[in-house]
Amino acid sequence: MKFSTKAVHAGVSPDKGYGAVMTPIYQTSTFAQQSPGVHQGYEYARTHNPTRTALQNCIAELENGQYGICFSSGMAAIDAVLKLLKPGDEVLCTQDLYGGTYRIFTKVYAAYGINFHFVNMMANGEWQKFINDKTKLIWIETPTNPLLHIIDIAHVCNFAKNKNIYVAIDNTFASPYLQRPLTLGADIVVHSATKYLGGHSDVVLGAVIVNAKEIAERLYFLQNACGAVPGPQDCFLVLRGIKTLHLRMKAHCENALKIAEWLSGHHRVKTIYYPGLTSHAGYETAQKQMHMPGGMLSFDLKEDTKEAAVKVLERFKIFTLAESLGGVESLCGHPATMTHASIPKEEREKIGLKDSLIRLSVGIEDADDLIEDLKQALDT
Ligand SMILES: *Cc1c(COP(=O)(O)O)cnc(C)c1O
């Protein structure tokens, strides 16, 4: 089945009760039993909920995975994956990670004896030398946040194969429409469904998708045992958002490419970070593993100061200055003070995250209007 058809139909079928075409919101904490232990598959809503089941099956299918496990947020999904590890285990991860991921690694799990190595996993990186027999997890974001570096997923998975190391991909920036890491050899896919999957900036939710039964069973156990489950209303909103995922992603990507090309000619712009530009170091890999280059882009200014970036950000009229990404509306942000403020300045500089960096989550408005907005904001 093609992706567009899956986006509309995956995981859902008319409801058994009254034939509702849209999956009902099962707003209940418990389910009646005919006799002790005799029920229709649902006992208590932390353990299972039919709205959540539909979403889990839907997301699994979109990622070409066997099992989907949903959580109350992207961070709760990441937290569950980290609970697959034991003290003494080592994790190799990409450098410019989502700020919250960096925070849970360094401020939560480091204290439980898990060691994290932040390494350059791009083609020119020497990440392989950090692998030893304690390495249990390789954690990848691609495209990375906010510098849009591209990591070759199949290449890393090939290297990790038969070494008893899980490869996990945070696929939030790409969405399964653009990139399906399980098909490229990854063991675990993580999503902040808050972003493109939900797509309308109205819900916080997370998901993990896997193929291996033993990982799935452990994650379902952790979902129930630790309890960071999403509510049925939130599951419904993500199910509803996913129905237009393919249409939205196409519009996000087309607009982002137009904007990246326009910014390339602007006298105040120093570097543009967008994997759809042939000048981008990850262009070839992006062409190979992604269907389109995505809706996120960043750029820094020739005048590399926080003040210069702040002035531009304050002038936007259509782009809203806000955290988050992946909604239908265009957002802009200043990673150094917003999404990546939890990464110390020295660390930010080491990875090339400049104080004048501006990140755009390009929405699905008309590209001409968005470019007009950028023009007036930059031409101070
Ligand atoms: C937002 C985000 C997260 C965290 O997700 P929440 O739903 O906000 O908890 C994780 N990874 C990436 C890449 C994100 O953008």
Side-chain angles (χ1 to χ4, degrees):
M1 208 185 275
K2 297 265 169 51
F3 192 91
S4 314
T5 314
K6 278 196 196 177
V8 176
H9 295 286
V12 298
S13 50
D15 186 63
K16 289 201 191 79
Y18 296 98
V21 169
M22 286 300 136
T23 309
I25 302 166
Y26 282 94
Q27 192 74 52
T28 182
S29 62
T30 189
F31 299 83
Q33 310 197 3
Q34 292 92 302
S35 172
V38 182
H39 50 76
Q40 297 174 55
Y42 294 91
E43 295 161 276
Y44 183 63
R46 170 162 35 74
T47 320
H48 296 110
N49 177 289
T51 319
R52 195 208 310 167
T53 303
L55 177 64
Q56 294 187 151
N57 293 340
C58 170
I59 293 183
E61 231 180 283
L62 294 184
E63 283 287 359
N64 291 345
Q66 291 296 315
Y67 306 96
I69 307 98
C70 288
F71 295 90
S72 52
S73 68
M75 289 320 304
I78 293 170
D79 182 65
V81 173
L82 292 170
K83 284 177 179 142
L84 298 170
L85 303 173
K86 293 190 305 301
D89 286 351
E90 294 191 10
V91 181
L92 225 61
C93 38
T94 42
Q95 263 166 349
D96 57 334
L97 283 177
Y98 174 71
T101 305
Y102 180 83
R103 184 173 54 203
I104 197 173
F105 286 2
T106 57
K107 299 269 163 60
V108 181
Y109 279 91
Y112 290 99
I114 295 172
N115 299 307
F116 297 89
H117 299 285
F118 299 90
V119 295
N120 173 359
M121 269 186 243
M122 287 179 278
N124 63 351
E126 295 188 331
W127 54 274
Q128 288 97 334
K129 69 178 187 201
F130 291 92
I131 299 215
N132 59 53
D133 53 10
K134 293 199 186 115
T135 312
K136 288 290 169 316
L137 177 67
I138 297 179
W139 187 276
I140 296 174
E141 275 182 31
T142 180
T144 66
N145 180 8
L147 292 171
L148 286 306
H149 293 313
I150 302 291
I151 317 294
D152 188 331
I153 297 174
H155 177 68
V156 176
C157 293
N158 265 331
F159 186 84
K161 215 164 156 180
N162 305 323
K163 291 192 176 70
N164 197 24
I165 302 171
Y166 292 146
V167 179
I169 316 282
D170 182 333
N171 206 26
T172 301
F173 265 40
S175 90
Y177 178 67
L178 300 182
Q179 164 177 294
R180 290 180 287 280
L182 294 178
T183 306
L184 298 169
D187 303 289
I188 299 169
V189 169
V190 170
H191 273 285
S192 168
T194 312
K195 315 295 168 54
Y196 287 110
L197 290 174
H200 295 75
S201 306
D202 53 9
V203 61
V204 172
L205 193 141
V208 184
I209 306 96
V210 300
N211 270 326
K213 192 161 183 235
E214 78 270 13
I215 311 178
E217 279 173 352
R218 183 70 187 158
L219 288 169
Y220 286 124
F221 171 83
L222 289 166
Q223 183 192 41
N224 182 48
C226 302
V229 294
Q233 168 108 21
D234 291 349
C235 293
F236 172 86
L237 284 170
V238 176
L239 274 169
R240 178 183 167 131
I242 284 172
K243 292 188 192 296
T244 54
L245 179 65
H246 52 302
L247 301 174
R248 288 185 283 109
M249 289 315 296
K250 205 160 161 279
H252 285 298
C253 295
E254 285 169 2
N255 282 353
L257 182 61
K258 282 187 193 154
I259 287 173
E261 282 169 349
W262 182 83
L263 282 171
S264 304
H266 199 281
H267 67 279
R268 290 194 65 198
V269 175
K270 178 145 182 275
T271 313
I272 300 155
Y273 306 87
Y274 185 63
L277 295 177
T278 50
S279 56
H280 188 281
Y283 177 78
E284 299 289 334
T285 310
Q287 291 287 308
K288 186 179 74 172
Q289 72 188 14
M290 298 176 78
H291 177 50
M292 289 173 92
M296 297 299 297
L297 72 88
S298 298
F299 61 97
D300 43 41
L301 302 172
K302 285 192 180 136
E303 185 192 339
D304 184 33
T305 62
K306 179 182 158 184
E307 291 68 33
V310 167
K311 273 207 189 104
V312 173
L313 289 161
E314 286 175 350
R315 287 174 61 92
F316 278 122
K317 295 193 167 86
I318 298 177
F319 284 89
T320 303
L321 180 61
E323 305 250 358
S324 200
L325 59 112
V328 288
E329 68 292 317
S330 290
L331 300 180
C332 60
H334 186 240
T337 49
M338 296 166 71
T339 47
H340 292 67
S342 50
I343 300 177
K345 188 173 164 68
E346 315 83 73
E347 292 299 318
R348 288 203 306 265
E349 277 170 1
K350 248 192 255 169
I351 59 175
L353 200 169
K354 300 212 166 70
D355 274 355
S356 74
L357 190 82
I358 291 173
R359 190 188 79 175
L360 302 179
S361 169
V362 179
I364 65 168
E365 303 95 332
D366 190 280
D368 292 343
D369 289 333
L370 296 177
I371 287 171
E372 202 52 46
D373 196 26
L374 275 157
K375 189 161 184 278
Q376 64 81 26
L378 280 164
D379 293 347
T380 319

